[in-house]
């Protein structure tokens, strides 16, 4: 494509302009050969010190730079037709480069536009979430304001009452189970039975197992810092041994006449 364009541009030049351009090219080529020969002849001997060679090359380069800086630029050709054609070439090249830059910036612009649309969509979703959260907060605040201290107190009293009822049911169930499976010791009223009970050391004022458990639980609730209960004559020893054997109660380490409920939590 570039060769076709160069051929078209060469065809646009007149014969005189082409001849002048060829002559100018030959002059530049001959000058280039001359400079190349001078460079070959001025190359230092390989036996010289490499450091000295580097210094000499640096000095020569600086001198060449100063020379070219002092030289005034001049036109390569005086023919206006050649200059016009060279200007056209340069303009076409510049236009091509600008088209490439414009294409790159358009692609970048399209990408930024897509990114902007995604960001706007994400922002809109976050706004919707924020609105929903604000509505939820307002609803909670309204519900909180509706709940007065009186309603909270009534709710607490109702819960306490439910717990008391539940505790009473549990105690009744426990009493029924103990009465069925662990009946209280039977004390006969006859004279012979009384004599036998006295011989066996059975007190007529013995309390039931459920009453013993109730005493132990009340002690835990009334004095949590001192949960031990002193054993007296009303506590039947087999009941005490059964509670200790099955891990329901624990005996005091120093005083064996004191017991307490085992800690189950």
């Amino acid at each position: 494509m570039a060769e076709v364009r160069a051929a078209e541009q060469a065809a646009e030049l007149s014969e005189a302009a082409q001849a002048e351009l060829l002559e100018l090219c030959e002059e530049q080529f001959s000058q280039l050969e001359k400079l190349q020969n001078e460079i070959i002849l001025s190359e230092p001997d390989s036996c010289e010190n490499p450091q000295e060679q580097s210094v000499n090359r640096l000095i020569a380069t600086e001198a060449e730079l100063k020379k070219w800086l002092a030289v005034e630029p001049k036109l390569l050709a005086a023919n206006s037709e050649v200059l016009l054609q060279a200007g056209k070439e340069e303009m076409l090249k510049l236009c091509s480069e600008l088209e490439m830059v414009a294409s790159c910036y358009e692609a970048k612009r399209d990408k930024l536009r897509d990114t902007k649309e995604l960001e706007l969509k994400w922002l809109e979703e976050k706004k919707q979430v924020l609105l929903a959260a604000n509505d939820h907060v307002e609803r909670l605040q309204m519900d909180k304001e509706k709940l007065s201290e009186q309603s909270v107190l009534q709710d607490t009293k109702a819960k306490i009452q439910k717990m008391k009822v539940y505790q009473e049911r549990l105690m009744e169930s426990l009493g029924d189970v103990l009465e069925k499976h662990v009946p209280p010791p039977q004390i006969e009223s006859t004279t012979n039975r009384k004599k036998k009970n006295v011989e066996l050391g059975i007190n007529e004022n013995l309390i039931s197992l459920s009453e013993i458990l109730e005493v132990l639980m009340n002690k835990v609730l009334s004095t949590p810092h001192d949960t031990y209960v002193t054993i007296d004559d009303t506590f039947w020893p087999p009941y005490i041994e059964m509670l200790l054997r099955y891990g329901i109660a624990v005996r005091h380490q120093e005083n064996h006449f004191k017991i307490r409920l085992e800690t189950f939590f």
Side-chain angles (χ1 to χ4, degrees), residues 19-161:
E20 185 176 351
L21 187 58
L22 290 173
E23 184 179 354
L24 183 60
C25 290
E26 289 178 358
E27 290 178 2
Q28 294 295 327
F29 185 73
S30 61
Q31 186 177 0
L32 184 61
E33 285 184 345
K34 181 179 179 182
L35 292 173
Q36 186 176 5
N37 292 330
E38 290 179 358
I39 291 172
I40 293 173
L41 294 175
S42 63
E43 286 184 355
D45 194 359
S46 60
C47 62
E48 292 182 2
N49 191 358
Q51 186 174 1
E52 292 181 358
Q53 292 180 9
S54 300
V55 173
N56 293 334
R57 287 178 181 175
L58 180 60
I59 294 172
T61 305
E62 290 179 352
E64 189 71 20
L65 178 60
K66 290 180 181 179
K67 178 181 177 182
W68 281 107
L69 289 175
V71 172
E72 299 233 357
K74 61 179 181 177
L75 296 175
L76 294 177
N79 193 331
S80 60
E81 191 177 354
V82 175
L83 294 176
L84 179 61
Q85 191 64 31
K88 287 181 180 180
E89 284 264 343
E90 201 63 31
M91 289 298 295
L92 290 173
K93 181 180 178 181
L94 182 60
C95 288
S96 177
E97 293 176 354
L98 290 175
E99 287 177 358
M100 291 178 63
V101 172
S103 177
C104 292
Y105 274 99
E106 286 177 357
K108 188 175 182 180
R109 180 195 61 191
D110 295 339
K111 185 177 180 181
L112 289 175
R113 186 183 292 112
D114 295 339
T115 304
K116 179 184 177 182
E117 291 178 357
L118 292 176
E119 293 292 337
L120 290 175
K121 183 178 179 181
W122 177 83
L123 180 61
E124 187 64 27
E125 292 177 355
K126 294 302 178 183
K127 285 182 179 179
Q128 295 296 331
V129 172
L130 181 60
L131 289 175
N134 290 333
D135 293 340
H136 184 64
V137 170
E138 291 178 0
R139 227 179 293 116
L140 290 178
Q141 289 178 351
M142 292 176 63
D143 294 341
K144 184 178 179 182
E145 292 174 357
K146 291 180 180 178
L147 292 175
S148 61
E149 294 182 359
Q150 185 176 2
S151 62
V152 174
L153 182 60
Q154 291 177 355
D155 188 23
T156 305
K157 288 182 178 179
K159 290 181 179 179
I160 292 174
Q161 186 63 29

Side-chain angles (χ1 to χ4, degrees), residues 1-13 18 85 89:
M1 186 69 183
E3 294 176 356
V4 173
R5 183 178 295 180
E8 291 177 354
Q9 292 173 354
E12 294 177 359
L13 294 175
Q18 291 182 13
Q85 191 64 31
E89 284 264 343

